[in-house]
Amino acid sequence: MSSSNEGSTKAIFYALGANGGIALAKFAAAVYTGSGAMLAEAIHSLADCTNQVFLLIGLKEAKRPANASHPMGYARVVYFWAMMVALLLFFVGGAFSVMEGVEHLKHPQPISTPWIALGVLGVSVVLEAFSLRGALVEIRKIAQGKPFMQWFRETRQSELMVVAGEDIAALAGLALAFAAVSLTVVTGNPLWDACGTIAVGVLLMIVAVLVIREVKAMVTGESAAPEVHAAIKAYIEADADVAGVRNLISMQWGEQVMVAVQAVMQPQPSAVALVDAINRIEAGIQQRWPQVHWCFFEPDHASPAPSAASDI
């Protein structure tokens, strides 16, 4: 297992442990207090737990060896499970919360013993912050100093991106729920609780859409990270046996990368020497970038200069 894969798994287990405890506490508080915002948060945490199980399933399936029907392996299956997580977050977390909030707007209900709800929300903030910290620690190890949003847009690690997105949405949702319950206590108006429920739902749907957009790019075939793609091209162009790179295609395949190169080669004394030069370049690429599991190299020659036009 690669170090980045280990980091993703660790972040998922952080999130699963935190959300499992949070979900139980929130459900108990929602039943006891009758708070719609608390119920929305409980459903959100339950959905998050399911999401983390999905991500772990994806990481396990991605390790299946290649076979005749899947000659490049199953690494991209993690993108499918990440998309399932995003859809679950949208419909179970977001849409359910909005519907619950609308129902409480139509039929407002007072919150009993709101201090219990506020206490559970406060503890949940601490646990979610612990989970988010774990994800950010793993992100910093691989982000190479990039700001978070740049890393979010450029990362090819769908599972770590999903965990980070969920944790950020969870913390923001907890803040909204805390504010809604507090305003309900201060004003005595249960409509604040209903509005908070709707706000939590809208927030979850926004985060889900952002995650879906990023995962869609991975599912449809995204290149390796821009800095990796550029570095591989520069490495090939710097080789003494290469006159120039005509085309370089890289494709992220889960944790792995596929590279296809069309390069103009310097004249070689024989076909064997040409093959040896290509093999040496490919081996160098895979040594420097171990994630490159496939390297397809097409040698080319410089195009002949166009002949002068005849005056006749």
Side-chain angles (χ1 to χ4, degrees):
M1 182 184 292
S2 68
S3 58
S4 59
N5 203 323
E6 289 176 354
S8 297
T9 303
K10 189 183 299 183
I12 293 170
F13 275 114
Y14 282 148
L16 181 59
N19 285 315
I22 290 170
L24 291 175
K26 286 178 180 176
F27 271 116
V31 171
Y32 193 77
T33 64
S35 168
M38 181 61 70
L39 179 60
E41 277 295 313
I43 295 296
H44 172 203
S45 294
L46 180 62
D48 281 351
C49 289
T50 306
N51 290 345
Q52 275 107 45
V53 172
F54 281 174
L55 293 175
L56 290 172
I57 291 172
L59 288 175
K60 182 178 180 180
E61 287 190 356
K63 299 175 189 175
R64 294 171 61 186
N67 53 41
S69 59
H70 291 83
M72 296 181 73
Y74 292 82
R76 283 170 63 115
V77 75
V78 295
Y79 300 154
F80 166 79
W81 288 107
M83 184 65 76
M84 292 291 291
V85 166
L87 292 174
L88 189 67
L89 183 64
F90 185 94
F91 289 106
V92 177
F96 177 85
S97 296
V98 170
M99 290 188 294
E100 184 69 18
V102 170
E103 182 64 24
H104 277 251
L105 279 177
K106 294 179 180 177
H107 308 287
Q109 298 177 0
I111 299 177
S112 61
T113 57
W115 303 112
I116 292 179
L118 291 173
V120 169
L121 287 172
V123 172
S124 299
V125 166
V126 174
L127 292 176
E128 284 290 0
F130 169 77
S131 175
L132 178 59
R133 180 183 177 278
L136 292 178
V137 166
E138 300 304 326
I139 289 170
R140 280 195 292 269
K141 291 178 182 178
I142 61 175
Q144 299 178 344
K146 295 178 183 177
F148 176 80
M149 287 308 300
Q150 181 183 353
W151 172 86
F152 188 89
R153 291 191 301 269
E154 295 181 358
T155 184
R156 304 312 192 245
Q157 285 189 264
S158 59
E159 63 283 356
L160 192 52
M161 177 192 66
V162 168
V163 170
E166 280 184 343
D167 287 344
I168 291 171
L171 275 176
L174 286 167
L176 288 172
F178 193 93
V181 174
S182 298
L183 286 170
T184 301
V185 172
V186 172
T187 64
N189 186 351
L191 292 180
W192 283 111
D193 184 61
C195 291
T197 306
I198 294 173
V200 170
V202 171
L203 171 69
L204 295 180
M205 287 193 286
I206 290 173
V207 172
V209 168
L210 292 175
V211 172
I212 288 171
R213 185 184 67 179
E214 297 301 324
V215 176
K216 175 188 173 185
M218 300 178 193
V219 170
T220 53
E222 200 167 27
S223 69
E227 66 274 11
V228 174
H229 183 97
I232 292 175
K233 183 177 181 181
Y235 176 83
I236 297 171
E237 290 176 330
D239 192 278
D241 288 319
V242 176
V245 174
R246 288 199 187 279
N247 193 21
L248 173 66
I249 296 173
S250 65
M251 181 175 292
Q252 193 73 33
W253 207 269
E255 284 285 307
Q256 302 163 358
V257 174
M258 182 276 291
V259 172
V261 185
Q262 183 185 30
V264 177
M265 302 297 291
Q266 298 287 6
Q268 300 292 326
S270 66
V272 173
L274 176 62
V275 172
D276 288 343
I278 291 173
N279 288 341
R280 179 181 53 77
I281 295 169
E282 289 180 335
I285 291 172
Q286 292 177 317
Q287 182 178 3
R288 183 166 296 195
W289 294 278
Q291 68 268 38
V292 178
H293 279 232
W294 307 274
C295 188
F296 306 103
F297 203 107
E298 178 185 347
D300 205 346
H301 56 77
S303 301
S307 60
S310 172
D311 292 335
I312 301 177

